[in-house]
Amino acid sequence: MLYHPDKHRDPELKSQAEQLFNLVHQAYEVLSDPQSRAIYDIYGKRGLDVEGWEVVERKRTPAEIREEYERLQREREERRLQQRTNPKGTISVGIDPLHHLFSDTYLFPIHLTDQLLPSAIFYATVGPLVFYLAIQRLVIRPYLRAQQEQELEKQRESSASDIAKKKQEAEAAVLLMQESVRRIIEAEESRMGLIILNAWYGKFVTDNSRKHERARVIDVTVPLQCLVKDSKLVLTEASKAGLPGFYDPCVAEEKSLKVLYQFRGVMHQVLCGDTEALRIPKQSHRIDNDS
């Protein structure tokens, strides 16, 4: 009902509502069909994109659907492999002469003694350990951190268009929620119920050792307030990026949800992980006046 085009008179909001309503309609078509829903429950959206489902017999069990999916996947991989191993055209290969490099030979004298020398013990035990720790801290860790950052940057670049699309859909959803949220807040204020004051979702940087990293969070105050019903907010164990008005601001990175809310006139605050279940209000979220 929130996204139904007939609920909005403003032409711009009506257009945005039509786009989101079409997504809801597509989801309904999948979830209302037993076979499509079974495929989605097992493999998600990627399972629905596999060619060949249209010829599969209906009323199959989840086990039979899984077997059929794997068969279709094998057939698709075989077609891809055949296209790669039987290409059309010609390939020219040039081979450069190989050059052999010979290094010099170094000789290191080894002196044997029946005396225990403190310096020898130090260089044989403590020395290598100190050297290893220095290499670990100055070379290996920075290298691994740089490699990880490069991989994340590649994922961000590859998913940039998808993030932009999800962001646009989320922003459109938030605009459509405004009137509903206004009514919810009025009802909650009249009973001193649950008011979401501020809510942020994404990557928070609180560790001093990670100051070089940049926090990436989005404001989700309106979407969360829209989910409040009878002074309660319940989120299940699933990624919050799929909630109405949300999107993933930092793909493939650890995310959290931080909420500052008021209940019975008292301030509360909670921080939970992306896939953690959340139920508010709770006494444990209460902010002590002395803190």
Side-chain angles (χ1 to χ4, degrees):
M1 292 179 63
L2 180 66
Y3 298 147
H4 200 289
D6 295 343
K7 295 286 183 179
H8 305 277
R9 297 180 180 179
D10 182 274
E12 183 178 352
L13 291 179
K14 194 177 186 71
S15 175
Q16 292 172 341
E18 288 176 352
Q19 296 178 19
L20 293 174
F21 189 77
N22 287 336
L23 294 177
V24 175
H25 180 66
Q26 292 173 14
Y28 176 78
E29 286 186 332
V30 171
L31 299 179
S32 61
D33 178 70
Q35 175 165 307
S36 297
R37 181 169 187 144
I39 296 169
Y40 181 82
D41 288 344
I42 299 172
Y43 300 106
K45 194 169 183 288
R46 63 187 177 90
L48 298 171
D49 297 333
V50 174
E51 298 176 359
W53 284 122
E54 62 277 0
V55 298
V56 175
E57 182 183 353
R58 315 291 290 182
K59 299 181 181 179
R60 290 200 168 192
T61 65
E64 291 173 332
I65 289 174
R66 184 186 297 274
E67 183 180 348
E68 191 65 26
Y69 174 84
E70 293 173 354
R71 184 186 67 80
L72 292 172
Q73 281 284 74
R74 286 196 301 271
E75 289 180 356
R76 186 169 66 171
E77 289 301 320
E78 287 173 0
R79 288 196 297 269
R80 287 181 179 177
L81 182 61
Q82 187 175 9
Q83 291 173 357
R84 291 175 181 176
T85 55
N86 297 281
K88 295 181 179 179
T90 58
I91 299 176
S92 299
V93 179
I95 302 176
D96 294 331
L98 298 178
H99 298 278
H100 297 277
L101 300 178
F102 298 90
S103 59
D104 296 332
T105 301
Y106 296 92
L107 299 176
F108 298 93
I110 299 177
H111 299 281
L112 302 178
T113 178
D114 56 359
Q115 299 179 355
L116 293 178
L117 301 177
S119 59
I121 295 174
F122 174 82
Y123 288 119
T125 57
V126 180
L129 179 60
V130 172
F131 178 76
Y132 169 77
L133 294 176
I135 292 295
Q136 182 80 6
R137 182 170 183 176
L138 300 177
V139 179
I140 297 177
R141 288 180 184 174
Y143 173 77
L144 293 177
R145 192 182 301 119
Q147 288 290 104
Q148 184 180 17
E149 191 61 34
Q150 288 179 6
E151 288 298 321
L152 288 174
E153 191 61 34
K154 288 180 181 179
Q155 291 188 26
R156 293 190 198 111
E157 291 175 359
S158 63
S159 58
S161 59
D162 185 56
I163 292 176
K165 181 182 177 181
K166 295 295 184 183
K167 179 182 179 181
Q168 184 179 10
E169 292 174 356
E171 291 174 345
V174 170
L175 287 175
L176 298 173
M177 293 175 183
Q178 297 293 337
E179 184 60 28
S180 295
V181 167
R182 184 186 65 80
R183 292 196 298 267
I184 292 171
I185 291 176
E186 288 179 356
E188 293 297 322
E189 286 179 340
S190 66
R191 63 170 76 103
M192 291 189 67
L194 178 57
I195 306 295
I196 307 297
L197 300 176
N198 290 107
W200 303 271
Y201 172 68
K203 176 184 177 182
F204 297 87
V205 178
T206 56
D207 189 349
N208 291 333
S209 64
R210 297 165 59 193
K211 283 185 177 180
H212 66 283
E213 299 182 22
R214 182 168 58 90
R216 283 186 289 275
V217 298
I218 58 174
D219 189 331
V220 291
T221 307
V222 171
L224 276 191
Q225 186 70 65
C226 194
L227 295 174
V228 171
K229 185 176 182 180
D230 298 329
S231 298
K232 294 182 179 66
L233 174 64
V234 179
L235 303 179
T236 58
E237 293 181 348
S239 175
K240 296 166 181 60
L243 293 173
F246 282 61
Y247 70 94
D248 191 342
C250 45
V251 175
E253 297 188 65
E254 185 177 347
K255 291 171 282 291
S256 302
L257 175 65
K258 187 176 184 179
V259 186
L260 179 67
Y261 66 94
Q262 183 175 297
F263 181 69
R264 299 288 186 258
V266 179
M267 300 288 286
H268 295 67
Q269 183 171 281
V270 60
L271 178 69
C272 71
D274 185 27
T275 58
E276 290 181 23
L278 177 64
R279 182 182 293 269
I280 59 176
K282 285 184 78 172
Q283 183 69 23
S284 60
H285 299 165
R286 182 169 176 159
I287 300 176
D288 194 353
N289 291 332
D290 296 333
S291 62

